[in-house]
Amino acid sequence: MKEARQRIIMPLGGRLRLALDFEVTPRMAYKALNFEGHSDLAKRLRAAALERGGQLYEAVSVSEQTGAIN
């Protein structure tokens, strides 16, 4: 079973600047950029992060081996 996790990586200081501009805590910005929330505010934070140079990454982890390796 494959599980995909998305996150947005910001340039240095970008996440803190985002939190200050939106008047939210740095923890809220962190959670929004790691897709841990799906509120309208979290969606706006993600959109602003991408506009400000953030990069969207998707990590895929494989939790079950599908075949034998010889």
Side-chain angles (χ1 to χ4, degrees), residues 2-70:
K2 293 181 181 178
E3 180 181 324
R5 290 202 36 99
Q6 291 181 320
R7 70 185 301 188
I8 298 173
I9 306 294
M10 294 288 294
L12 186 62
R15 192 172 65 209
L16 181 59
R17 181 83 254 163
L18 191 67
L20 291 172
D21 290 347
F22 276 81
E23 298 180 351
V24 297
T25 63
R27 179 69 183 160
M28 174 60 193
Y30 171 84
K31 290 180 78 165
L33 297 183
N34 283 290
F35 289 80
E36 293 179 16
H38 302 291
S39 66
D40 289 335
L41 177 58
K43 292 175 185 175
R44 287 187 288 145
L45 283 164
R46 288 191 285 269
L50 292 172
E51 289 175 2
R52 296 178 184 196
Q55 297 292 315
L56 178 63
Y57 288 91
E58 185 172 342
V60 178
S61 65
V62 179
S63 62
E64 184 178 305
Q65 189 173 356
T66 58
I69 300 174
N70 294 331

